[in-house]
Structure formats: C-alpha cells, structure tokens
Amino acid sequence: MSVIVGDEQSALLFFVFYSVIGLVLGAIVFALFAFRGSRRPQFRHLGVMPRFGATAGISIALVISYVAWSAMYRDFYRIDVDDETVQFQYFMPSQVRIIPKSAVTSVEKRAYPGRGGRYRILMVTEGGVFSSARMYSNQFDGVWEAISAEFPTR
C-alpha cells in the first residue's frame, strides 16, 4: 500500500513564501542599520552600522528559512507499507526512513481545529513518533481508511 499524505508543490510554496518573508525582513533590518535615510528622524543622528546590519539581516533571513525548512523536514509526505516494513518518505532533503512494521505500536489521528479542519496521522513506534503532513478532511478520510486497514489492532 502506498499513500501520499502531502503535496510537494504546496510544501515548496510554503518554504519559498517564508524564505521570501525572511529575505524581506532581513533587507529591512539591514537598511535600518546601514542607511540613515531609512530611519525615523529622531534616530537619524545615530551612526551607521553596515556590518552589524548585514549580520542581523542575514541572521533573520536564515532563521526564518530554517524554521520553514524544518517544518517541512519533520513530517512525512508519503508512506509505503508492505508485509514487513513501513517506509516514510520526506523531501527537502529527500529522505526515506524504513522501520519494521512490527515496531509500530499505535496509529493515531490528531485534529487541528480551525480553518478548514486539518488532520495529521501519528505513527507511534518503540523509537519515537512519525507524523504526517497536515491534510484537509476530504483527503484525510481516504488516507485514514487505508492506514487503518494496514494497522487494524493498533
């Protein structure tokens, strides 16, 4: 059984969107420290600090991009289950984690109330918890039915 629980294009769009926000905020911070004309009149007397501005701007851009990247990296987007193994596929970077099917102790669903009613599948194993990308209820129902059929007593 192979189930796709996330959309690569949406995740990539999420990453690009937040990376652009990070770049814009970083550029604004750089401009505030490096150019007197970008400040309010009462702060224009302070000296320019282009090195500090560049360091702060780059740091802000990198932190926001890293948070977006780690949000995508920790959730699997495809799950393949056969008689003996479970494969979790991640992307950015592309990675496959394989565990024995017998290591799965429980399969849970978690609801995230709010706009659109999103859901996530949690596969609890002896070594930790694997969580899926969030899905809307119309996609979740089919995915949950397929995964519940593979793990009926867990």
Side-chain angles (χ1 to χ4, degrees):
M1 176 209 59
S2 179
V3 178
I4 297 173
V5 297
D7 180 18
E8 289 184 35
Q9 289 179 338
S10 295
L12 187 60
L13 181 65
F14 169 83
F15 175 72
V16 169
F17 177 75
Y18 281 99
S19 294
V20 168
I21 288 175
L23 287 171
V24 169
L25 288 176
I28 290 170
V29 167
F30 170 72
L32 288 173
F33 282 103
F35 306 109
R36 283 192 172 118
S38 63
R39 301 180 196 161
R40 290 183 175 181
Q42 64 263 33
F43 298 114
R44 288 192 182 148
H45 69 282
L46 299 173
V48 295
M49 297 180 283
R51 286 186 184 159
F52 178 77
T55 303
I58 290 170
S59 297
I60 289 171
L62 288 177
V63 165
I64 292 174
S65 295
Y66 175 76
V67 169
W69 175 79
S70 67
M72 289 181 6
Y73 179 69
R74 75 170 171 253
D75 300 332
F76 65 84
Y77 286 85
R78 180 179 173 155
I79 183 171
D80 296 313
V81 180
D82 60 25
D83 292 337
E84 297 179 11
T85 62
V86 180
Q87 293 183 9
F88 301 100
Q89 295 187 11
Y90 301 83
F91 63 93
M92 218 168 145
S94 182
Q95 179 183 3
V96 176
R97 296 198 54 195
I98 301 171
I99 62 168
K101 190 174 180 180
S102 60
V104 177
T105 57
S106 68
V107 179
E108 303 168 5
K109 60 181 175 180
R110 177 162 298 161
Y112 293 88
R115 295 185 345 189
R118 300 183 92 181
Y119 295 88
R120 172 176 283 175
I121 294 173
L122 302 175
M123 298 197 93
V124 181
T125 67
E126 297 158 353
V129 177
F130 295 88
S131 65
S132 72
R134 292 182 184 185
M135 299 168 271
Y136 289 107
S137 59
N138 56 355
Q139 179 188 12
F140 177 79
D141 294 335
V143 171
W144 180 250
E145 184 177 310
I147 289 180
S148 295
E150 286 291 330
F151 301 95
T153 60
R154 298 178 190 172

